[in-house]
Amino acid sequence: MLPPDVEPCCPPLSERPFTAEEAERTARMFRALGDPVRLRLFTAVASHPDGEACVCDISDVGVSQPTVSHHLKKLKEAGLLTSERRGTWVFYRVEPSVLAGMGQMLTPRAA
Amino acid sequence: MLPPDVEPCCPPLSERPFTAEEAERTARMFRALGDPVRLRLFTAVASHPDGEACVCDISDVGVSQPTVSHHLKKLKEAGLLTSERRGTWVFYRVEPSVLAGMGQMLTPRAA
DNA sequence: CGTCTGCTTCGACGTATGTCAACCTAGGAG
DNA sequence: CTCCTAGGTTGACATACGTCGAAGCAGACG
């Protein structure tokens, strides 16, 4: 279900005006990081050793556990995280290529 | 000539878990780019010659003029754009340092 | 089997957000 | 002054979104 192929979603933001379709795709990813709770969850996963963490390790962000699960699902749908169940626990892991793609979009022209 | 004197908003997303305050600040910026219309407006300004554009040049994004104005205001509040009136027209310009700061946050650990 | 634990899904609720039509303001042209 | 154009503001509306409690589901363990 998840193509591991890394294709650049869109050109840098300053290269040319986005089409409606490009804007839709890109906005989904930025919107995923546009929530404080999701940002805390994401940084918690990303900064964890081995780049992965189980939900129990990161769910101390001030909201209920169902809400944590809801936000992790959103991050997964945006392609920023992947999840895998191992025994009792579910581990989340960052998808570095997607993150790198977003970084490339923010590259200024002169750099 | 261009010192990488970037706004030290927050460390890279993979450095450590964000605090609630950091997440709030950062989420505001990402959320600003989390709307398709805003993304089209922003890329239209950013890709314009001289890095600036008047509203009349970029307002063909499929929504009404008040909505365009509303989104430009949001981008301005997020610090991504600045505006200046010159005669009849209002020109919007990208704030490169803020954009670069966001790019640094998306920098993977190995880079 | 039954129960406990970790996590997800469901259903409901309040708030935030995108959108538009109508109106308002600023500045140039006559 | 009047009129026109470029944009911003207001108010209202529908939808999206974040949040929670309750219920459901999957493994581990006895």
Side-chain angles (χ1 to χ4, degrees), chain B residues 54-73:
Chain B
C54 107
V55 179
C56 56
D57 288 331
I58 59 175
S59 49
D60 187 22
V61 288
V63 295
S64 69
Q65 195 276 327
T67 302
V68 169
S69 195
H70 164 73
H71 285 303
L72 287 173
K73 185 179 182 180

Side-chain angles (χ1 to χ4, degrees), chain A:
Chain A
M1 161 178 188
L2 282 181
D5 201 337
V6 183
E7 58 180 65
C9 158
C10 297
L13 298 187
S14 47
E15 184 170 313
R16 57 169 172 76
F18 275 11
T19 66
E21 194 179 334
E22 288 171 334
E24 198 75 49
R25 243 183 311 153
T26 307
R28 251 192 300 272
M29 301 189 302
F30 278 109
R31 190 166 43 221
L33 293 179
D35 179 89
V37 174
R38 281 198 290 270
L39 222 29
R40 295 187 71 185
L41 289 171
F42 184 88
T43 55
V45 173
S47 64
H48 230 253
D50 306 325
E52 77 173 11
C54 107
V55 180
C56 56
D57 287 331
I58 58 173
S59 47
D60 188 21
V61 289
V63 295
S64 69
Q65 202 277 329
T67 302
V68 168
S69 195
H70 164 74
H71 285 302
L72 288 173
K73 186 180 183 180
K74 289 270 190 165
L75 287 167
K76 214 168 93 174
E77 288 171 352
L80 295 170
L81 292 181
T82 58
S83 70
E84 179 197 357
R85 173 164 216 128
R86 288 208 290 274
T88 307
W89 301 278
V90 176
F91 289 81
Y92 280 82
R93 168 178 293 279
V94 299
E95 193 60 54
S97 63
V98 179
L99 206 62
M102 293 180 67
Q104 282 189 1
M105 285 191 237
L106 295 175
T107 302
R109 267 196 280 207

Side-chain angles (χ1 to χ4, degrees), chain B residues 35 37-38 63-64 66-67 70-71 74 85 87-88:
Chain B
D35 178 89
V37 174
R38 280 198 290 272
V63 295
S64 69
T67 302
H70 164 73
H71 285 303
K74 289 270 191 164
R85 173 162 218 131
T88 307

